[in-house]
Amino acid sequence: MDNAEIRVEKGHAEPEEVAAITAVLLARAAAAPAPVHRARRKAGWRRLEREPGFRAPHSWH
């Protein structure tokens, strides 16, 4: 197991144990739904130079 893709950092794992862990990780990766990327219509941040200079103290904005 010198050229393995998975490496045990601490302790000693037999090849069967590494194969079992690999099978579980691959099964979980295959079962996970793909992330959905939704495009935003406007930015989540705002540019302060485009904000009005004064806001009234009673304003909720």
Side-chain angles (χ1 to χ4, degrees):
M1 289 192 48
D2 293 331
N3 58 358
E5 295 288 327
I6 295 177
R7 176 177 73 187
V8 177
E9 289 288 326
K10 193 172 187 181
H12 178 72
E14 297 296 323
E16 294 85 14
E17 294 171 323
V18 174
I21 295 288
T22 304
V24 168
L25 291 175
L26 288 173
R28 288 195 62 175
V36 177
H37 298 286
R38 296 181 183 156
R40 291 186 178 183
R41 292 189 175 227
K42 69 178 195 176
W45 49 270
R46 56 194 168 137
R47 294 180 63 173
L48 296 177
E49 67 268 14
R50 292 188 180 174
E51 289 290 318
F54 175 76
R55 289 188 181 173
H58 62 277
S59 172
W60 285 91
H61 296 282

